[in-house]
Amino acid sequence: MTEQTETAQRPVLVVDFGAQYAQLIARRVREAGVYSEIVPHTATAAEIAAKNPVGLILSGGPSSVYEPGAPALDTGVFDLGVPTLGICYGFQVMAQALGGEVANTGLREYGATDAAVEGDGGVLLAGQPLEQNVWMSHGDQVSRAPEGFEVLASTRATPVAAFGSDSRRMYGVQWHPEVKHTDFGQKVIENFLHRAAGLPADWNSGNVIAEQIERIRAQVGSGRVISALSGGVDSAVSTALVHEAVGDQLTAVFVDHGLLRKGEREQVEQDYVASTGVRLITVDAREQFLSALAGVSDPEQKRKIIGREFIRSFEQVQRALVDEAKAEGEPIRFLVQGTLYPDVVESGGGSGTANIKSHHNVGGLPEDLQFELVEPLRTLFKDEVRAIGRELGLPEAIVARQPFPGPGLGIRIVGEVTADRLEVLRDADAIAREELTAAGLDGEIWQCPVVLLADVRSVGVQGDGRTYGHPIVLRPVSSEDAMTADWTRLPYDVLSRISNRITNEVREVNRVVLDVTSKPPGTIEWE
């Protein structure tokens, strides 16, 4: 298998010092219309230069620059002549390397902090209020700016909260401009990119589509391609993009394992096919999966069974398609995979041989499938993938779809998975989604798992009698990347409508409860 090359566009490199927000910085750069990639702080100056960057942003990090073993940077990076912005720890690394001083004065700043812009703020802080609220998270601080650098901002505890040198095109801020708690954070990033570095805002979904179509055609040629289509955003957009490039050379395979939400098979077979024209083969494996899951309650065992049965279903179709392709003289050599940029970063940057990823979505495709991967989304974040899906004309119901695990409702039933329990959960989930959409809350919620506690019953009163029904759990969460999440504060009237409808309309449910746990300590899914 070979790894698809990254975009030809010259990047702004985000140098990661172990910050929890490195990916967020990269996203903010993209939002400003400039392509970005993440590299580790261990990259040498030569390795960074080889990527031909148009800008560098040094991220924050949890360490102190003067402690033994603290993350360091090859100081040759500062001799490359590349416009550079340091953030928090990266700001301190820059100050120390260029001859300034960093000290622990005993004055710490965490959270919302008032900052005062000095003078006109220079290029970096131009067009911003002289007094503004920023988000700090530091115990050390720059006590003296490097020679030739102008102090651009200060706070009560930090006299050098920002500095800059227009002649060297190097700048830094002690606060975190990438987080939304900083009032003018995006303006800081945009000023660095567009004013200091002189970069145009030319990274957009239209350019990405045109570039990827060209790459896909060059990679695939006249070869045949197969795609495992789940109906989720990533597989839907990657399949549509490849189809846009090679047309009927692509065949999409959709496995209906019976663990889907209400209307999802029809959504794929009708709406998706109508909007893309892709050739689709549906495998009806509902009985196969239910039989395999019979009597199983352990969540990890359920995941393994679902993953195993998915592989068997996919392999069966794959063999038939390979035989068909051989008969026609053009073997299937390519497999579409919806790998996103966070997958690449979290797996070590995507270096080396590309492997078919194995994770919670489907339990992994077979490792011995001898296909070359086509990964048109591997440079993109989820919000960019949605934008491309809209540009390609995919149905909004698919493009805006919340993340949904490959094992589907099988891991949203706490207990054994049965046909009856699936119908109960499907109905409750549909009601919750309908009401959240009607209330206009889809944009505020990252995901809202609806969970059936199948092995739990509670006493209730419905009509003139007592009931002994199951509880349904609502788990609305807000997140940027699913690595961390907080429960979404839904309006009480929306919660009331959802609860009333579920207990009135869904048999065997007499109680609806709300999960108000953040991640960590909880996970988004229950199993």
Side-chain angles (χ1 to χ4, degrees), residues 118-428:
E118 303 290 334
D120 62 3
V123 171
L124 191 67
L125 304 181
Q128 300 176 37
L130 297 181
E131 300 286 337
Q132 55 182 278
N133 189 263
V134 301
W135 192 261
M136 290 284 199
S137 181
H138 70 102
D140 302 330
Q141 55 191 275
V142 176
S143 55
R144 181 173 61 81
E147 185 176 347
F149 280 70
E150 179 185 0
V151 176
L152 302 178
S154 62
T155 69
R156 184 185 60 82
T158 308
V160 184
F163 61 43
S165 170
D166 291 339
S167 62
R168 299 189 66 174
R169 295 193 297 174
M170 291 187 178
Y171 306 85
V173 292
Q174 182 59 68
W175 62 84
H176 288 273
E178 72 274 18
V179 302
K180 292 183 178 178
H181 305 294
T182 295
D183 290 344
F184 295 90
Q186 187 64 9
K187 183 66 174 176
V188 170
I189 292 173
E190 290 173 357
N191 277 354
F192 169 69
L193 297 171
H194 304 316
R195 295 169 63 94
L199 304 176
D202 59 0
W203 171 257
N204 57 61
S205 57
N207 290 347
V208 173
I209 291 171
E211 180 181 291
Q212 286 303 322
I213 285 176
E214 183 179 340
R215 286 184 177 278
I216 293 165
R217 288 173 177 167
Q219 180 186 6
V220 171
S222 61
R224 297 278 293 274
V225 190
I226 189 172
S227 172
L229 181 64
S230 70
V233 178
D234 303 341
S235 70
V237 174
S238 58
T239 299
L241 194 49
V242 173
H243 184 262
E244 188 80 8
V246 301
D248 290 342
Q249 292 170 235
L250 170 71
T251 300
V253 177
F254 175 67
V255 177
D256 181 359
H257 46 36
L259 308 173
L260 302 170
R261 294 186 289 187
K262 182 172 286 189
E264 286 185 328
R265 175 169 173 171
E266 294 76 13
Q267 192 178 77
V268 171
E269 291 182 324
Q270 299 170 20
D271 299 344
Y272 183 80
V273 170
S275 66
T276 61
V278 70
R279 179 195 179 196
L280 177 69
I281 294 176
T282 298
V283 180
D284 190 339
R286 290 174 290 183
E287 289 300 323
Q288 171 187 334
F289 277 77
L290 274 177
S291 296
L293 289 167
V296 178
S297 295
D298 178 74
E300 189 58 31
Q301 191 177 355
K302 285 194 287 187
R303 286 179 180 274
K304 290 179 178 178
I305 290 170
I306 293 168
R308 181 194 71 208
E309 296 304 316
F310 178 89
I311 289 170
R312 289 176 176 173
S313 300
F314 187 84
E315 281 183 322
Q316 185 177 359
V317 175
Q318 171 239 333
R319 284 193 294 268
L321 287 173
V322 167
D323 291 343
E324 174 188 305
K326 284 181 180 177
E328 295 176 2
E330 188 61 70
I332 297 176
R333 296 193 296 114
F334 301 94
L335 172 69
V336 179
Q337 184 162 293
T339 307
L340 302 192
Y341 192 53
D343 301 325
V344 176
V345 173
E346 290 162 14
S347 63
S351 59
T353 304
N355 293 315
I356 296 175
K357 63 185 178 183
S358 177
H359 54 69
H360 69 276
N361 279 349
V362 294
L365 290 173
E367 293 183 359
D368 60 349
L369 286 180
Q370 298 303 307
F371 292 123
E372 182 177 334
L373 294 184
V374 180
E375 298 177 294
L377 310 180
R378 66 179 281 113
T379 63
L380 304 177
F381 290 101
K382 178 76 80 171
D383 51 348
E384 295 168 330
V385 172
R386 295 188 198 278
I388 286 175
R390 292 185 176 98
E391 190 89 13
L392 291 170
L394 298 188
E396 186 64 19
I398 290 179
V399 172
R401 187 186 185 200
Q402 295 177 356
F404 186 62
L409 300 181
I411 59 167
R412 291 184 177 174
I413 295 176
V414 180
E416 181 186 2
V417 178
T418 68
D420 287 344
R421 289 175 173 181
L422 282 167
E423 285 308 307
V424 169
L425 181 53
R426 239 188 293 273
D427 290 342

